Amino acid sequence: MSITPFRLFRCGPAFQRRHLSTSAARHSPGYDSTIRNLRIDKNTRATANARDTIAYGTNIVGGVSPGKGDSTHLDLPVLNTVHEAMWVVKPHVSAVFVPAQFAAKAIIESIEAEVPLVVSVAEHIPVHDMLRVHEILRTQSKTRLVGPNCPGIIAPEQCRVGIMPYKQYKKGSIGIVSKSGTLSYEAVGATTSAGLGQSIVLGMGGDLLPGTTLADGLSLFFEDEETKGIIVIGEIGGEAELRAADLIREYRKSTRHPKPIVAMVAGKTAPHGRTMGHAGAVLTSRDVPAEIKARALGDAGAVIVPHPGVMGETMKKLLES
């Protein structure tokens, strides 16, 4: 049987500015309220690309593959639609594994079914399609989108929703939000080596219109009791880092004992006009250079490091002090 294009998970009690990279949904208080849906935990359940996910400990309830309903895969039910899945298995997370040209339709189907969390890993979803997705997102307060073009979201040793190489992840106290999947893996390795582990690792994604931004990830970690320190990884393209800096500044002013924040911005030597891996990672004459973004984060109170390899030891020293 072919792999199903969605994975469906069920979670436990934890679920009770100018540039295109700015999420249109950020202007909607209703959508902002769905940030809490990012708090996945050990009770999260799932199918499709599921063997590793099952081995990791994620509980899977079924999958969706149009035309293959009333069948099973890995001894789990396969449904024809997300609406049917919501009725039968009541998932809390839908992971969308379909090609870019079909991904927006799959995301919208999950939003219409009011799945609390949707994760899309596809790269290069047409911008016009994502504009439609954001128009829908900002009219509702039930569903939170992670991605597209990201490795997903993981609560180490509890729940994996995505494609990240999970074996180096360890349950711990550091929250990581990153535009770059590869650099987030480096930060994970560094914090694991330092004995800190991770609470949640969240991929913002590198496409032009992300469903969840660096600032959204920060908002989650500021309130999360399991998160004692925060890592932010940005890169060229867009202004998400500047919005993150604004939020860090507000947080540090309003909190008596703020959590330490370590940050870096990749792309300081990137040439103008050349896309650097991600669709949104391109430096044009209209974009803010990486140095300016890093300076903004530093001025806001984050400790700036040159590369993710030193993030673990840097964070450890900050926590000890």
Side-chain angles (χ1 to χ4, degrees):
M1 179 178 183
S2 62
I3 292 177
T4 55
F6 296 88
R7 287 188 298 176
L8 298 175
F9 304 71
R10 182 171 181 174
C11 296
F15 264 95
Q16 314 254 312
R17 259 163 195 202
R18 202 174 66 190
H19 194 279
L20 280 174
S21 65
T22 298
S23 168
R26 287 289 299 167
H27 301 293
S28 167
Y31 183 60
D32 284 348
S33 70
T34 65
I35 288 174
R36 64 180 180 273
N37 295 358
L38 296 168
R39 193 62 181 93
I40 57 178
D41 64 19
K42 64 182 180 181
N43 297 309
T44 302
R45 307 190 299 152
T47 194
N49 186 28
R51 287 185 176 88
D52 285 346
T53 304
I54 291 172
Y56 195 69
T58 303
N59 299 316
I60 300 179
V61 293
V64 171
S65 187
K68 295 181 180 179
D70 299 322
S71 63
T72 62
H73 180 55
L74 301 179
D75 296 323
L76 295 164
V78 177
L79 295 312
N80 285 311
T81 68
V82 180
H83 283 281
E84 183 182 355
M86 285 297 288
W87 178 260
V88 176
V89 296
K90 299 179 174 61
H92 282 169
V93 183
S94 172
V96 178
F97 286 87
V98 299
Q101 63 266 39
F102 308 118
K105 182 179 179 181
I107 293 168
I108 291 169
E109 182 181 357
S110 293
I111 297 170
E112 291 174 342
E114 297 187 349
V115 182
L117 181 60
V118 180
V119 177
S120 175
V121 302
E123 185 175 9
H124 298 304
I125 297 177
V127 174
H128 185 272
D129 288 357
M130 284 307 299
L131 285 170
R132 173 62 177 157
V133 169
H134 278 273
E135 285 294 321
I136 295 170
L137 283 173
R138 68 179 182 177
T139 65
Q140 55 83 53
S141 59
K142 300 292 186 180
T143 301
R144 161 67 45 172
L145 172 65
V146 171
N149 188 11
C150 77
I153 181 172
I154 183 170
E157 301 177 27
Q158 300 179 78
C159 173
R160 171 185 183 250
V161 189
I163 57 172
M164 64 288 292
Y166 56 86
K167 292 186 178 180
Q168 67 173 345
Y169 289 71
K170 296 295 180 183
K171 185 177 180 181
S173 61
I174 307 304
I176 301 174
V177 58
S178 175
K179 267 190 179 180
S180 167
T182 303
L183 293 180
S184 74
Y185 308 155
E186 296 284 346
V188 165
T191 50
T192 294
S193 296
L196 299 173
Q198 307 84 40
S199 54
I200 292 279
V201 182
L202 170 64
M204 170 181 160
D207 271 2
L208 294 173
L209 286 167
T212 295
T213 66
L214 297 180
D216 293 331
L218 285 168
S219 295
L220 171 71
F221 297 142
F222 290 159
E223 301 297 329
D224 182 41
E225 294 182 358
E226 294 183 17
T227 299
K228 307 304 180 185
I230 303 168
I231 288 175
V232 181
I233 302 176
E235 63 186 12
I236 55 171
E239 296 183 357
E241 297 79 3
L242 302 184
R243 293 182 177 274
D246 289 342
L247 191 61
I248 291 170
R249 183 177 295 104
E250 293 173 9
Y251 165 69
R252 291 179 61 82
K253 286 181 179 179
S254 62
T255 306
R256 189 169 184 178
H257 299 292
K259 299 174 183 181
I261 301 171
V262 174
M264 70 161 287
V265 179
K268 291 183 179 179
T269 61
H272 275 71
R274 183 177 300 172
T275 299
M276 305 300 290
H278 290 161
V282 57
L283 183 64
T284 71
S285 59
R286 301 186 303 275
D287 287 311
V288 179
E291 295 92 336
I292 302 300
K293 293 181 176 184
R295 188 180 309 153
L297 289 165
D299 290 345
V303 176
I304 305 301
V305 296
H307 59 84
V310 299
M311 285 180 162
E313 289 302 323
T314 301
M315 180 62 75
K316 189 173 183 179
K317 291 177 181 177
L318 290 171
L319 290 170
E320 290 173 348
S321 64

